[in-house]
Structures are given as structure tokens and as C-alpha cells.
Amino acid sequence: MADWPHDPDGEEGSEGMRKYGQAVIAKKVDEHDDFPLDVSAFIDEHGDDPIRLNHERVVSLAEIFDNVDSDEIEDIQTMHQQVGDTMRENGYWEYDAETEGPGTEA
């Protein structure tokens, strides 16, 4: 884990996981203006940005996107699918739909 210049959560906490993982990545794109997304350009612009995976673990956006196989991503739904699959396959996914989320007890 790298030392980051700031805490991505700040003093506001995680906002119910909206400041963790894939949610942080999704906030870096505009679903209308940024697609199709040039993956190399996106990494050039945001690769050093910290992505908080949980309350202790932070990785760079580039580290996650190293495993995305596309040069271009057509739309935000495809981005969510590809990034989510990549995060799950490479140990970056911290959310468990069976134990977290609507209808589950914390």
C-alpha cells in the first residue's frame, strides 16, 4: 500500500460505501460526455488517484485498471461490468452482496 497525500474519505466517512472502490472510479467519469472512454487517456489523467477499497486499504486507479483488457469502453454500464469483474478477479472487491446492501442486516 502506498502513502497517499490525502485521505479519500476525509472527515465525512465512507457515505455507506459510496466513497469506496468502484463508486470512487465511477465518480471520475460523466456517463454522457466521457464515453466511449479511452482507457489509456483515463489512466493518464487519473492513474495516480487513490481508490479506497476499505477502511484500511488504498490502491491507485492505475493498479486496478492494469487488469482491464479494453482499450476503449463503450458506455458506463460496460465500464461498471469490466471494472467490477476486474476488481473481483484480482482481489480488489470488498463488497459482498450476500451480506451487505439493501435487505441485509449489518
Side-chain angles (χ1 to χ4, degrees):
M1 182 168 77
D3 291 329
W4 297 100
H6 65 279
D7 179 354
D9 283 344
E11 295 182 13
E12 299 172 20
S14 71
E15 290 183 6
M17 298 296 285
R18 287 186 301 276
K19 288 190 176 183
Y20 286 148
Q22 191 170 8
V24 175
I25 296 168
K27 289 179 183 178
K28 297 182 182 301
V29 296
D30 179 289
E31 69 179 291
H32 302 291
D33 295 334
D34 292 338
F35 291 92
L37 183 71
D38 179 323
V39 173
S40 293
F42 184 65
I43 294 170
D44 287 346
E45 184 175 348
H46 297 287
D48 290 333
D49 292 358
I51 306 298
R52 182 171 288 282
L53 301 177
N54 62 36
H55 69 285
E56 296 177 328
R57 187 173 174 208
V58 179
V59 298
S60 70
L61 180 135
E63 188 174 334
I64 293 170
F65 269 77
D66 278 347
N67 298 296
V68 172
D69 292 331
S70 299
D71 294 328
E72 183 176 274
I73 299 174
E74 188 60 34
D75 55 38
I76 195 159
Q77 291 81 12
T78 304
M79 185 188 88
H80 280 298
Q81 291 168 345
Q82 289 185 5
V83 171
D85 289 347
T86 294
M87 290 179 72
R88 285 180 197 88
E89 291 167 4
N90 294 283
Y92 299 121
W93 193 260
E94 298 287 334
Y95 178 80
D96 181 357
E98 301 223 358
T99 62
E100 302 173 29
T104 60
E105 294 182 25

